[in-house]
Amino acid sequence: MTLADQLAQLPTPALVLDERRMLANIERLRRRMAGLGVALRPHLKTAKSVEIARRLLADGTGPATVSTLREAEVFFAAGVRDILYAVGIAPQKLPRVAALRAAGCDLAVILDTPAQADAVVAASRAAGAPIPALIEIDCDGHRGGIAPDDDLLLDIGRRLHAGAALRGVLAHAGESYGAVGEAAQAAAAEGERAAAAGAAGRLRAAGLPCPVVSVGSTPTAHAARNLDGVTEVRAGVHTFFDLVMAGIGVCGLEDIALSVLTTVIGHQPARGWILVDAGWMAMSSDRGTASQAVDQGYGLVCDVDGRVFPDLILVSANQEHGLIALRPGSDAALPDLAVGTQLRILPNHACATASQFDHYDVIPAGEGLPLARWDRFGGW
Amino acid sequence: MTLADQLAQLPTPALVLDERRMLANIERLRRRMAGLGVALRPHLKTAKSVEIARRLLADGTGPATVSTLREAEVFFAAGVRDILYAVGIAPQKLPRVAALRAAGCDLAVILDTPAQADAVVAASRAAGAPIPALIEIDCDGHRGGIAPDDDLLLDIGRRLHAGAALRGVLAHAGESYGAVGEAAQAAAAEGERAAAAGAAGRLRAAGLPCPVVSVGSTPTAHAARNLDGVTEVRAGVHTFFDLVMAGIGVCGLEDIALSVLTTVIGHQPARGWILVDAGWMAMSSDRGTASQAVDQGYGLVCDVDGRVFPDLILVSANQEHGLIALRPGSDAALPDLAVGTQLRILPNHACATASQFDHYDVIPAGEGLPLARWDRFGGW
């Protein structure tokens, strides 16, 4: 059966994963990190799938990064034992952290305030076992973290070291998603490295431990030239890649492993519109390419075999309706796509689009295999 | 236990539903439709909850509108028997439609092309029973539908009448979500009514049946002054209301029944930021107020009891991080909100925010009751 025949069996919209592309993306970053001599701690928030975690993690046990405690619980139940929860800890969440640790998961948290450090100390005391925490370092003004030269660094470090466990420091160059081209991304990577390594140096100079120096984002992980002082790199969206990453040059369109399968349900010929059954409920409302040089609307349209239609994008999305049209200014011809035609749409942001579905329909990497179904989960 | 004490037990982010507000919203539109002498066919796509459907539907069996066949299947299993699937039918979906009908669900579909009509005829023949279809009428250039005076109207009508069942016509004034104020919304409602009633008149003049004349959107349903020729009105987001609806004057902020409970996880005092654990995964990426007079960012911030902080909005959202700040130009003081403080954020678009969660944490309408948990579902 051809791929098109296999996909024709699926109800639409459906989340299609090209396993071969995904494995190549995973291998690309794995080799890069091995070449730089640094550990890779993949972020599992993009995939939220045990099947995919097994392909991302060298031996299945870690190291891994998560964005919710639900992820930590699900992946621990699936055998992952070395997990970093990389969102500033809310004090109320520490009992769940302690419970996972008591069950045998080496779960670490991050924080950037003395109040959080005190809460981790109190929770460690209550649990009768130290909870390890990393101090979040701000390298680019993106969101959380303290500056590497902030007086709070040593204050927080001392509190953790005295009453919990100071695991290290963490930086995330969130602004690198707007850095176009490898040179700009390499500069962002150096800023991320320097901030984290600088903070680690200050902690050590004060006699505090700092075993882990964690940095990362997908753009900086692919562009970093020097990771001196760094012990591990985090990245997540590299698993699938997406139009935002293609737009800043981290990958090509042919590397994007995720697409939404959709069906043509109507036309408005006078307006140049093709209506499909993929709206924002399927694509998400993410408009991450809106600020890039090429705005891809809500996604770039391919035929069912994955061949891109140049200039054909999802220009508008209601809950379950998508409007496909030529991008503004295009002089291409609108393809003739009859009602019932299946198409595939590349997403702006893989994390957001994947989160709209409860499973992947997988085109297996092996030849001649039937489509697979891999569950994914959400929630907190 | 106070409301704040009850909410403090919930892991965050959480989707909080104020049942009292919701019931008032439901009652408001129910009375309005009764006054106009027209049936209400609530859209269940907003809530996707059996508990809420029971409160929306007078006797629990319908009439109801859905946006996916999954919704039709789930609500039929819960006792709803009169369902309109209001997204242009893909031919591939007709076997599922026929199966639901064979099981006793009066499920109708919509379409706007001869190709779809022929597919419905073929599926009716295959099922040995006519599948009812409504013809979608375009009243404002929003997305699908044919113009009321289009020659295709009678062509499609005749095909359906000969080989399936012509149930009627349907219009949706999607552009009314951008119509500010009651007068503009009433004009949109009249456009919607006139288009649908005009198309119905043409079908009947040609000797074709048109028992159902269906119109609706939340703004037009609340503003219509005259529904002559209309048999039913559809609306969905009125169940909860949201900032987009408040922004065009359909409701007040105090009517919004849905909010996202979140916890403060950090601060960037130099930038005027408060970090919380509600990012786009909790709020959705919907920026529906961006084009309104007052841009509410990713949501408007309230204290845990639901009191609005004037000018405090979610200005930025990453996957699990939200940045709260004063809206640009505000001279209000940034409130002092310690790490661990719970807040509630009103959503731009209730349908989108609700879809990010698998359940509602419900503040019951009755006094002194504990919080309830109502499941919701997604998927197709």
Side-chain angles (χ1 to χ4, degrees):
Chain A
M1 200 154 54
T2 67
L3 175 61
D5 289 341
Q6 290 181 296
L7 295 177
Q9 311 299 314
L10 299 177
T12 57
L15 183 65
V16 173
L17 172 60
D18 183 323
E19 189 190 12
R20 188 183 53 73
R21 289 186 182 189
M22 179 186 78
L23 294 177
N25 296 341
I26 291 172
E27 183 61 17
R28 174 182 166 197
L29 189 57
R30 187 179 285 161
R31 282 195 192 181
R32 191 161 205 287
M33 291 300 108
L36 286 162
V38 171
L40 179 62
R41 181 182 286 278
H43 210 315
L44 305 182
K45 76 179 174 76
T46 305
K48 297 208 186 199
S49 151
V50 169
E51 292 283 356
I52 296 172
R54 289 188 180 129
R55 286 156 176 82
L56 272 165
L57 306 180
D59 74 350
T61 67
T65 311
V66 300
S67 69
T68 65
L69 290 181
R70 171 81 65 91
E71 289 166 59
E73 290 161 351
V74 171
F75 289 119
F76 175 63
V80 184
R81 309 183 80 79
D82 175 3
I83 302 179
L84 173 65
Y85 169 45
V87 176
I89 190 70
Q92 294 93 324
K93 290 175 180 161
L94 285 163
R96 275 171 84 185
V97 171
L100 272 163
R101 290 194 58 81
C105 180
D106 182 10
L107 178 64
V109 301
I110 73 167
L111 51 82
D112 63 0
T113 64
Q116 288 165 301
D118 290 348
V120 170
V121 167
S124 297
R125 194 170 301 134
I131 295 172
L134 286 76
I135 303 173
E136 187 173 5
I137 307 300
D138 178 19
C139 63
D140 61 1
H142 181 64
R143 56 184 186 214
I146 55 175
D149 61 355
D150 194 313
D151 290 341
L152 281 176
L153 178 69
L154 300 185
D155 177 10
I156 295 170
R158 289 193 184 105
R159 291 173 198 240
L160 290 172
H161 185 54
L166 176 55
R167 179 65 64 87
V169 294
L170 166 145
H172 168 63
E175 295 295 304
S176 71
Y177 296 97
V180 181
E182 198 183 356
Q185 291 147 18
E190 175 53 21
E192 193 180 49
R193 184 205 68 77
R202 285 188 67 214
L203 289 170
R204 292 179 189 131
L208 293 165
C210 188
V212 174
V213 180
S214 181
V215 301
S217 72
T218 285
T220 57
H222 288 79
R225 293 165 187 171
N226 164 26
L227 289 173
D228 286 355
V230 166
T231 66
E232 65 177 35
V233 170
R234 307 178 320 280
V237 77
H238 77 288
T239 314
F240 300 145
F241 282 129
D242 54 28
L243 293 172
V244 166
M245 288 296 111
I248 61 170
V250 179
C251 68
L253 295 177
E254 67 284 1
D255 298 319
I256 300 175
L258 211 62
S259 60
V260 171
L261 183 73
T262 186
T263 304
V264 174
I265 60 170
H267 300 88
Q268 291 285 18
R271 302 190 187 100
W273 291 349
I274 299 164
L275 279 76
V276 293
D277 65 357
W280 59 253
M281 187 64 86
M283 300 306 301
S284 87
S285 296
D286 194 288
R287 288 282 290 106
T289 56
S291 57
Q292 295 192 328
V294 178
D295 182 349
Q296 305 284 16
Y298 289 86
L300 182 61
V301 181
C302 307
D303 70 14
V304 73
D305 290 313
R307 282 181 293 261
V308 172
F309 286 106
D311 288 351
L312 202 63
I313 63 174
L314 197 66
V315 293
S316 172
N318 295 152
Q319 185 158 341
E320 300 290 351
H321 295 82
L323 296 185
I324 288 174
L326 294 169
R327 69 174 81 249
S330 169
D331 57 5
L334 192 70
D336 184 20
L337 301 168
V339 165
T341 302
Q342 286 193 326
L343 300 168
R344 283 162 64 190
I345 306 178
L346 301 178
N348 282 325
H349 187 171
C351 307
T353 300
S355 78
Q356 303 297 103
F357 291 82
D358 66 1
H359 71 280
Y360 300 90
D361 288 300
V362 183
I363 304 171
E367 292 288 327
L369 297 174
L371 297 181
R373 181 190 166 109
W374 293 349
D375 286 339
R376 57 167 287 139
F377 61 93
W380 290 269
Chain B
M1 201 156 52
T2 66
L3 176 61
D5 289 340
Q6 289 181 296
L7 295 177
Q9 310 299 315
L10 298 177
T12 58
L15 183 65
V16 173
L17 172 59
D18 182 325
E19 188 190 11
R20 188 183 52 74
R21 289 187 182 188
M22 179 186 77
L23 294 177
N25 295 340
I26 291 172
E27 183 60 18
R28 174 183 167 196
L29 189 57
R30 186 179 285 160
R31 283 196 190 178
R32 191 161 206 288
M33 292 299 109
L36 285 162
V38 172
L40 179 62
R41 181 181 286 278
H43 209 315
L44 304 182
K45 77 181 174 72
T46 304
K48 299 210 186 198
S49 152
V50 170
E51 291 284 355
I52 296 172
R54 290 190 178 129
R55 286 157 175 82
L56 272 166
L57 306 180
D59 74 350
T61 67
T65 311
V66 299
S67 69
T68 66
L69 290 180
R70 170 81 66 92
E71 290 166 58
E73 289 160 353
V74 171
F75 289 119
F76 175 62
V80 185
R81 308 183 80 78
D82 173 4
I83 302 178
L84 173 65
Y85 170 45
V87 176
I89 189 72
Q92 294 93 323
K93 291 175 179 161
L94 285 164
R96 275 172 84 185
V97 172
L100 272 164
R101 290 193 58 79
C105 180
D106 182 10
L107 177 65
V109 302
I110 72 167
L111 51 81
D112 62 0
T113 64
Q116 288 165 301
D118 290 348
V120 170
V121 167
S124 297
R125 194 170 300 133
I131 295 172
L134 286 76
I135 303 174
E136 187 173 4
I137 307 301
D138 178 20
C139 62
D140 61 2
H142 181 65
R143 56 183 188 214
I146 55 175
D149 61 354
D150 194 313
D151 290 342
L152 280 176
L153 177 70
L154 300 183
D155 177 10
I156 295 170
R158 289 192 183 105
R159 290 173 198 239
L160 290 172
H161 185 54
L166 176 55
R167 178 67 62 89
V169 294
L170 167 145
H172 168 63
E175 295 295 304
S176 72
Y177 296 97
V180 181
E182 198 182 355
Q185 291 148 19
E190 174 55 21
E192 193 180 49
R193 183 205 69 78
R202 284 187 68 214
L203 288 169
R204 292 178 188 133
L208 292 165
C210 187
V212 174
V213 181
S214 181
V215 301
S217 72
T218 285
T220 57
H222 288 78
R225 293 165 187 172
N226 163 26
L227 289 173
D228 286 355
V230 167
T231 66
E232 65 177 35
V233 170
R234 306 180 319 281
V237 78
H238 77 288
T239 314
F240 301 144
F241 282 129
D242 54 27
L243 293 172
V244 166
M245 287 296 111
I248 61 170
V250 178
C251 68
L253 294 177
E254 68 283 2
D255 298 319
I256 300 176
L258 211 62
S259 61
V260 171
L261 183 73
T262 186
T263 305
V264 174
I265 59 170
H267 300 89
Q268 290 286 15
R271 301 191 187 100
W273 292 347
I274 299 164
L275 279 77
V276 293
D277 65 357
W280 57 252
M281 187 65 85
M283 299 306 302
S284 89
S285 297
D286 193 289
R287 289 282 289 107
T289 55
S291 57
Q292 295 192 329
V294 178
D295 182 347
Q296 306 283 17
Y298 289 86
L300 182 61
V301 180
C302 307
D303 70 14
V304 73
D305 290 314
R307 281 181 294 261
V308 171
F309 286 105
D311 289 351
L312 202 63
I313 63 174
L314 197 66
V315 292
S316 172
N318 294 154
Q319 186 158 341
E320 299 291 352
H321 295 82
L323 296 184
I324 287 174
L326 293 169
R327 69 173 82 248
S330 169
D331 56 7
L334 192 69
D336 184 19
L337 301 168
V339 164
T341 302
Q342 287 193 326
L343 300 168
R344 285 162 64 190
I345 307 178
L346 302 178
N348 282 325
H349 187 172
C351 308
T353 300
S355 78
Q356 302 297 102
F357 291 82
D358 67 1
H359 71 279
Y360 300 90
D361 288 300
V362 183
I363 304 171
E367 291 289 327
L369 297 174
L371 296 181
R373 181 191 165 107
W374 293 349
D375 286 339
R376 54 167 290 137
F377 62 93
W380 290 270

